[in-house]
Amino acid sequence: MAGGTKRLPRAVREQQMLDAAVEVFSERGFHETSMDVIAQRAEISKPMLYLYYGSKDELFAACIQREGQRFAEAFTIVGDPHLAPREQLRKAIEVFLGFVAENRSSWMVLYRQAVGQQVFMGQVQSTRDRLIELTAGLLEHSTREPMPDQDFHMMAVALVGAGEAVADRVAGGEVTPDFAVDLLESLAWRGLSGKKKGE
Amino acid sequence: MAGGTKRLPRAVREQQMLDAAVEVFSERGFHETSMDVIAQRAEISKPMLYLYYGSKDELFAACIQREGQRFAEAFTIVGDPHLAPREQLRKAIEVFLGFVAENRSSWMVLYRQAVGQQVFMGQVQSTRDRLIELTAGLLEHSTREPMPDQDFHMMAVALVGAGEAVADRVAGGEVTPDFAVDLLESLAWRGLSGKKKGE
Amino acid sequence: MAGGTKRLPRAVREQQMLDAAVEVFSERGFHETSMDVIAQRAEISKPMLYLYYGSKDELFAACIQREGQRFAEAFTIVGDPHLAPREQLRKAIEVFLGFVAENRSSWMVLYRQAVGQQVFMGQVQSTRDRLIELTAGLLEHSTREPMPDQDFHMMAVALVGAGEAVADRVAGGEVTPDFAVDLLESLAWRGLSGKKKGE
Amino acid sequence: MAGGTKRLPRAVREQQMLDAAVEVFSERGFHETSMDVIAQRAEISKPMLYLYYGSKDELFAACIQREGQRFAEAFTIVGDPHLAPREQLRKAIEVFLGFVAENRSSWMVLYRQAVGQQVFMGQVQSTRDRLIELTAGLLEHSTREPMPDQDFHMMAVALVGAGEAVADRVAGGEVTPDFAVDLLESLAWRGLSGKKKGE
DNA sequence: AATGAATGAGTTTTCATTCAT
DNA sequence: AATGAATGAAAACTCATTCAT
């Protein structure tokens, strides 16, 4: 009878909770965040959190999961076979940095939070691996240079690493996504030898 | 039977403690590590830890500090003016990955641990920044392409990011340092356009 | 076997905890009392104490607060304007010593505990000050002697001090409240010059 | 050979330590004071403290002891049989408040510190008792009113209580010793009925 | 005579987690 | 379906106290 005790369908509640969790985790970090605070933010009681997610770890995992999902989905467009591989690579970089720029508070921080929590490293790595494989594939189709797969893979590792580093700066507002895209693309294709600003 | 409860001079104990701390922190992560465990590993009592380092945070900071120091020192060789800038860059990459390969359990993990602990980000960033500036300088002297400083800086950010990503793989034993050095150098100079294995 | 682990409404538990806390603090003193012991005495778990009161200091403050409150309330009767000032003063002394006699284990000891704990001195002094002002007012209206306010105030300080000292003896069972009331009243009015027992 | 390690005769060291201890205890309170700090202040090592005083409690006891002694000694003058009893009482009040005024940082605080530490209450009480007996004796010889000893004793309790309360104000600088002496003497002899300022 | 080095034993405090309603 | 009430378990930190030199 008292106000505020709504009966909501499960799916809605779940999202409401994840929203709150992502928010708080991203603001304060995993360990600094207590279940109390998440419950408060989600405007539900702690037992509800446990009913739906079982434990703090599982809740955090669910957060990474969902955000990773959204991230991955952003890349579906890249596979467009109408585009030349080079175009696809550029597109991929755009999508990546674009996503980061628009979701800094949620994804970037979750990402940076999850890294360093041994327990979740696996999940992060798996999201990252998907990105690396995607990149490796694009590289392979974009160049005539014949290289062993292994090389493409490691090159993709390096490029994604570069991308993440730059993404941090984008998220921090230190560079514009546009500038960063050019820079990364240029790095990928020509390294220092051919970088020409704005070209 | 265990190593003996000797009276050691302060300086020695300090290092002994840091050794243990670096070890445990690197194995379990900052939050998952209790002072109790560090004390056990160092074969001393908890109060000593506090006597010497004041708090868990300060102890961890001291770890980062020392390892960062060692890391930085490894680079002193790079400044050698007898070498051409390109040689210097290659040398720097070698040093970087070499250090990581030989200190995986301590530095790499500390590095990865410290990131994501808001409080220590500053310290990590400052070590990283030194590396970035060093790199930016090398880039600037290695190319004839005229670019704004800002561009060199961001390019260095990207390269260091790539280096860190590759370093993770080196630390994980997935690639040899040699291979990784070639790859990074190649990326830096020619990007994909000119990568030729073993060249 | 022990009193039962029931779910009690907040307000009830709060009092239960304060009761236990006052008891233990009064028996052992502030510093000698651990939260563990209070929790045991209250038959609840330590986290509850923290949930309700936040910290040991705050809990102790709450104790002083509540007991000070009860003490102050005992004096409401004194303000009765139907009584002559002299009657009021006597009444006040009666109330004061009566309260102490009946609440020795809680108030007197808290009072004596709180003094000497720098942090809580303020709170004690403020309760004491109320008493002093009350007394000063009564003195002022009870005598024809014109004196500066300052004098009444300091005289009240002295009388309250005398009252506290005697109260200690009352609390210790060394004198009866009745005897003590006569003595204090006599001291207040005539000093040694006119003390006549039972007059 | 290094400076500062003097060999001092036992008696000197003892006083040096007590001086430091009284100082620190009075500044910070018993529980808030650590042996470390006392040792530092005394410019000796902690083991010395233990060698000389055995334990923190014993050290504090020694502090009270010494200060109580000094206090008691101040009263030797009072016993002067050349003076009339009334004069002696006035003198006693003067001595008491004078002592407090000049030793506030040491004695007053120790006094206020010791009260409330159950363990030392006994010692404080015994110093206080000496004062009360002294006072009771003076009262008995100062008045013609015949009263049971018990009455004199309790009257002395009250007066000493008043004295202590006023002493606090003197120590706090809220009143001058002179004013306070008049007030207390007046209270003792005439109560409110006859107080005449400056008379 | 004197001390730097070392610790056992507690204390407060904080959470993730679960009943009982 | 939902929650206020409750706790077990552990972590950081402190201090009086004692060796070994």
Side-chain angles (χ1 to χ4, degrees), chain D residues 35 46 50 56:
Chain D
M35 293 297 264
K46 243 188 310 176
Y50 281 89
K56 188 184 178 185

mmCIF file of all heavy atoms in Angstrom, chain D residues 35 46 50 56, chain F residues 16-19:
data_model
loop_
_atom_site.group_PDB
_atom_site.id
_atom_site.type_symbol
_atom_site.label_atom_id
_atom_site.label_comp_id
_atom_site.label_asym_id
_atom_site.label_seq_id
_atom_site.Cartn_x
_atom_site.Cartn_y
_atom_site.Cartn_z
ATOM 1 N N MET D 35 53.093 4.916 24.460
ATOM 2 C CA MET D 35 54.420 4.871 25.054
ATOM 3 C C MET D 35 55.467 5.424 24.087
ATOM 4 O O MET D 35 56.439 6.047 24.494
ATOM 5 C CB MET D 35 54.760 3.433 25.451
ATOM 6 C CG MET D 35 53.887 2.917 26.574
ATOM 7 S SD MET D 35 54.082 3.844 28.117
ATOM 8 C CE MET D 35 55.285 2.838 28.992
ATOM 9 N N LYS D 46 62.138 3.427 24.202
ATOM 10 C CA LYS D 46 61.023 2.805 24.891
ATOM 11 C C LYS D 46 61.500 1.796 25.941
ATOM 12 O O LYS D 46 60.972 1.803 27.062
ATOM 13 C CB LYS D 46 60.097 2.136 23.880
ATOM 14 C CG LYS D 46 58.724 2.762 23.872
ATOM 15 C CD LYS D 46 57.740 1.990 23.029
ATOM 16 C CE LYS D 46 58.263 1.667 21.654
ATOM 17 N NZ LYS D 46 57.301 0.818 20.911
ATOM 18 N N TYR D 50 60.313 1.162 30.073
ATOM 19 C CA TYR D 50 59.879 -0.085 30.708
ATOM 20 C C TYR D 50 60.838 -0.513 31.803
ATOM 21 O O TYR D 50 60.431 -1.046 32.833
ATOM 22 C CB TYR D 50 59.701 -1.164 29.646
ATOM 23 C CG TYR D 50 58.388 -0.980 28.920
ATOM 24 C CD1 TYR D 50 58.308 -0.178 27.789
ATOM 25 C CD2 TYR D 50 57.229 -1.570 29.406
ATOM 26 C CE1 TYR D 50 57.091 0.012 27.154
ATOM 27 C CE2 TYR D 50 56.017 -1.398 28.779
ATOM 28 C CZ TYR D 50 55.949 -0.600 27.650
ATOM 29 O OH TYR D 50 54.752 -0.406 27.028
ATOM 30 N N LYS D 56 52.819 0.856 31.285
ATOM 31 C CA LYS D 56 52.163 2.143 31.071
ATOM 32 C C LYS D 56 51.356 2.539 32.298
ATOM 33 O O LYS D 56 51.416 3.683 32.755
ATOM 34 C CB LYS D 56 51.248 2.070 29.851
ATOM 35 C CG LYS D 56 50.682 3.411 29.436
ATOM 36 C CD LYS D 56 49.696 3.259 28.289
ATOM 37 C CE LYS D 56 49.106 4.595 27.907
ATOM 38 N NZ LYS D 56 48.054 4.467 26.869
ATOM 39 P P DA F 16 50.301 2.082 24.202
ATOM 40 O OP1 DA F 16 49.447 3.007 24.950
ATOM 41 O OP2 DA F 16 51.494 2.581 23.511
ATOM 42 O "O5'" DA F 16 50.700 0.888 25.172
ATOM 43 C "C5'" DA F 16 49.661 0.196 25.864
ATOM 44 C "C4'" DA F 16 50.089 -1.231 26.159
ATOM 45 O "O4'" DA F 16 50.519 -1.863 24.945
ATOM 46 C "C3'" DA F 16 51.240 -1.335 27.129
ATOM 47 O "O3'" DA F 16 51.014 -2.473 27.954
ATOM 48 C "C2'" DA F 16 52.455 -1.504 26.215
ATOM 49 C "C1'" DA F 16 51.868 -2.284 25.051
ATOM 50 N N9 DA F 16 52.485 -2.003 23.755
ATOM 51 C C8 DA F 16 52.736 -0.777 23.207
ATOM 52 N N7 DA F 16 53.282 -0.824 22.017
ATOM 53 C C5 DA F 16 53.398 -2.174 21.752
ATOM 54 C C6 DA F 16 53.908 -2.889 20.650
ATOM 55 N N6 DA F 16 54.402 -2.293 19.563
ATOM 56 N N1 DA F 16 53.890 -4.232 20.709
ATOM 57 C C2 DA F 16 53.377 -4.824 21.802
ATOM 58 N N3 DA F 16 52.866 -4.265 22.903
ATOM 59 C C4 DA F 16 52.910 -2.925 22.814
ATOM 60 P P DT F 17 52.021 -2.681 29.127
ATOM 61 O OP1 DT F 17 51.308 -3.472 30.134
ATOM 62 O OP2 DT F 17 52.628 -1.391 29.493
ATOM 63 O "O5'" DT F 17 53.125 -3.609 28.446
ATOM 64 C "C5'" DT F 17 52.714 -4.858 27.897
ATOM 65 C "C4'" DT F 17 53.845 -5.497 27.112
ATOM 66 O "O4'" DT F 17 54.118 -4.768 25.892
ATOM 67 C "C3'" DT F 17 55.191 -5.596 27.832
ATOM 68 O "O3'" DT F 17 55.479 -6.970 28.023
ATOM 69 C "C2'" DT F 17 56.179 -4.947 26.891
ATOM 70 C "C1'" DT F 17 55.461 -5.060 25.556
ATOM 71 N N1 DT F 17 55.906 -4.103 24.516
ATOM 72 C C2 DT F 17 56.430 -4.629 23.353
ATOM 73 O O2 DT F 17 56.533 -5.824 23.140
ATOM 74 N N3 DT F 17 56.830 -3.690 22.435
ATOM 75 C C4 DT F 17 56.766 -2.306 22.560
ATOM 76 O O4 DT F 17 57.161 -1.579 21.673
ATOM 77 C C5 DT F 17 56.216 -1.832 23.806
ATOM 78 C C7 DT F 17 56.095 -0.365 24.053
ATOM 79 C C6 DT F 17 55.810 -2.746 24.718
ATOM 80 P P DT F 18 56.694 -7.375 28.899
ATOM 81 O OP1 DT F 18 56.267 -8.585 29.598
ATOM 82 O OP2 DT F 18 57.232 -6.207 29.610
ATOM 83 O "O5'" DT F 18 57.763 -7.821 27.790
ATOM 84 C "C5'" DT F 18 57.562 -9.069 27.155
ATOM 85 C "C4'" DT F 18 58.548 -9.169 26.024
ATOM 86 O "O4'" DT F 18 58.603 -7.923 25.294
ATOM 87 C "C3'" DT F 18 59.991 -9.434 26.452
ATOM 88 O "O3'" DT F 18 60.444 -10.516 25.668
ATOM 89 C "C2'" DT F 18 60.726 -8.164 26.091
ATOM 90 C "C1'" DT F 18 59.925 -7.737 24.875
ATOM 91 N N1 DT F 18 60.077 -6.324 24.477
ATOM 92 C C2 DT F 18 60.589 -6.045 23.250
ATOM 93 O O2 DT F 18 60.937 -6.906 22.467
ATOM 94 N N3 DT F 18 60.688 -4.716 22.954
ATOM 95 C C4 DT F 18 60.325 -3.654 23.752
ATOM 96 O O4 DT F 18 60.458 -2.501 23.372
ATOM 97 C C5 DT F 18 59.785 -4.007 25.034
ATOM 98 C C7 DT F 18 59.361 -2.941 25.975
ATOM 99 C C6 DT F 18 59.693 -5.307 25.339
ATOM 100 P P DC F 19 61.058 -11.702 26.513
ATOM 101 O OP1 DC F 19 59.980 -12.664 26.641
ATOM 102 O OP2 DC F 19 61.802 -11.159 27.686
ATOM 103 O "O5'" DC F 19 62.138 -12.281 25.510
ATOM 104 C "C5'" DC F 19 63.120 -11.406 25.095
ATOM 105 C "C4'" DC F 19 63.322 -11.547 23.598
ATOM 106 O "O4'" DC F 19 63.032 -10.283 22.993
ATOM 107 C "C3'" DC F 19 64.762 -11.868 23.291
ATOM 108 O "O3'" DC F 19 64.861 -12.540 22.068
ATOM 109 C "C2'" DC F 19 65.372 -10.478 23.217
ATOM 110 C "C1'" DC F 19 64.241 -9.641 22.623
ATOM 111 N N1 DC F 19 64.200 -8.248 23.146
ATOM 112 C C2 DC F 19 64.622 -7.198 22.308
ATOM 113 O O2 DC F 19 65.021 -7.485 21.168
ATOM 114 N N3 DC F 19 64.578 -5.929 22.773
ATOM 115 C C4 DC F 19 64.131 -5.687 24.007
ATOM 116 N N4 DC F 19 64.094 -4.420 24.408
ATOM 117 C C5 DC F 19 63.681 -6.732 24.867
ATOM 118 C C6 DC F 19 63.737 -7.985 24.402
#
